[in-house]
Amino acid sequence: MRKKIVAGNWKMNNDLQEGLQLTSEIVHMVKDEVNDEVTVILATPFVHLSGVSRLLDGATNIFLGAQNCNEHVSGAYTGEVSAAMLKSVQAEYVILGHSERREYFNETNELLTKKVNTALAHGLKPIFCCGESLEIRENDTHFDFVCQQLTESLFHLNEEEITGIVIAYEPIWAIGTGKTATAGQAQEMHEVLRNHLAGKFGREIAEGLSILYGGSAKPANAGELFAGKDVDGGLIGGASLKSRDFVDIVKSFQ
Ligand code: 13P
């Protein structure tokens, strides 16, 4: 059975104190209200990682994630953070290829191949983001576009390596816009992606990969979105900044 995952992507929000407060609230609520069936991930800014890591000590189903890492192992890359540094603060996951990084920081499928390799080589699990713009959807080329993102950044991996990847489908037109994909649109794309992965890695491996949906997910729509048979959870932006909303989204699996 594949993992059900709800990951919060805090993006560039919260100072350290606010982030630690949010984490404490989530830890308590998850302990009291959530069973171990769901894997919860907090993807915080770099500055928060080590402090949040300490608060997660002892929480059995909440894991730490970063929002990016550099493709190089180490060296003279001022301002950058390496995969080994993330491991050293007990991060287990790293978001790679978020559309905001693709758009504002020029991250290409080719660069992401390198980041994926470096993350995997250091024992991090990439949460690999893909998704189309509104223009691409309106041109009706969204399935090909998103499949190609996977092909170009992940299809060099071997069978063992691909099992270390979590996929997150985030249609750009749904991110931060309040305009969620319908449950049908999410399921349809997830099924296409799973079939695409099966074509390369085999059905058994593809059936074991978790594919998350992201884009204006909130407590009111999470249950419906997660009901899709190929939707294995969510990557949550805005609603992950409020402990009650975030934990309610996690609970929509129960
Ligand atoms: P929102 O949930 O704020 O739309 O953001 C989604 C997202 O980009 C998560 O990575």
Side-chain angles (χ1 to χ4, degrees):
M1 238 192 37
R2 44 184 186 257
K3 252 190 201 165
K4 296 173 177 175
I5 299 174
V6 176
N9 174 10
W10 293 3
K11 308 192 180 183
M12 196 173 73
N13 292 296
N14 288 330
D15 66 20
L16 179 61
Q17 286 69 31
E18 290 163 340
L20 295 179
Q21 175 65 31
L22 176 60
T23 304
S24 295
E25 291 169 13
I26 291 171
V27 167
H28 283 108
M29 288 180 189
V30 167
K31 186 162 169 272
D32 291 345
E33 304 171 31
V34 176
N35 62 33
D36 275 358
E37 223 183 292
V38 190
T39 296
V40 177
I41 301 169
L42 303 182
T44 80
F46 293 134
V47 166
H48 301 56
L49 288 170
S50 133
V52 169
S53 172
R54 263 175 251 135
L55 294 179
L56 297 186
D57 210 22
T60 51
N61 56 338
I62 314 182
F63 299 89
L64 186 63
Q67 298 171 19
N68 180 31
C69 74
N70 191 269
E71 66 276 21
H72 298 287
V73 171
S74 65
Y77 300 101
T78 302
E80 289 297 287
V81 171
S82 73
M85 292 173 194
L86 299 182
K87 270 311 262 193
S88 75
V89 291
Q90 283 76 51
E92 303 224 9
Y93 293 86
V94 59
I95 296 174
L96 292 177
H98 193 281
S99 60
E100 288 149 16
R101 295 216 55 91
R102 292 176 187 263
E103 182 177 352
Y104 307 136
F105 304 96
N106 303 319
E107 294 198 357
T108 59
N109 291 340
E110 191 187 351
L111 172 71
L112 291 167
T113 304
K114 296 181 188 152
K115 291 195 176 201
V116 165
N117 289 345
T118 307
L120 286 173
H122 288 83
L124 290 166
K125 298 186 185 77
I127 301 173
F128 182 82
C129 300
C130 55
E132 81 286 356
S133 64
L134 186 59
E135 192 187 354
I136 290 171
R137 181 159 281 261
E138 284 173 347
N139 286 339
D140 210 21
T141 50
H142 46 294
F143 295 126
D144 286 349
F145 179 85
V146 181
C147 284
Q148 186 157 348
Q149 290 181 317
L150 300 196
T151 304
E152 291 188 10
S153 297
L154 300 179
F155 276 23
H156 65 289
L157 299 176
N158 65 32
E159 291 179 0
E160 193 192 329
E161 289 164 336
I162 193 73
T163 60
I165 306 271
V166 175
I167 312 273
Y169 168 58
E170 300 204 306
I172 297 168
W173 45 271
I175 296 178
T177 58
K179 191 176 187 301
T180 321
T182 64
Q185 285 171 322
Q187 166 55 30
E188 186 182 31
M189 178 61 86
H190 285 222
E191 188 171 355
V192 166
L193 295 180
R194 198 178 304 286
N195 288 338
H196 187 55
L197 289 157
K200 169 70 182 170
F201 299 102
R203 180 54 60 184
E204 199 180 327
I205 286 178
E207 288 297 331
L209 297 175
S210 297
I211 308 180
L212 316 183
Y213 167 80
S216 299
K218 41 186 180 280
N221 59 26
E224 198 185 343
L225 284 164
F226 297 169
K229 73 174 173 51
D230 290 290
V231 182
D232 307 307
L235 181 53
I236 317 299
S240 75
L241 300 172
K242 295 200 181 101
S243 53
R244 184 71 270 160
D245 284 358
F246 183 63
V247 176
D248 281 348
I249 291 173
V250 174
K251 284 168 70 179
S252 55
F253 267 131
Q254 292 184 177

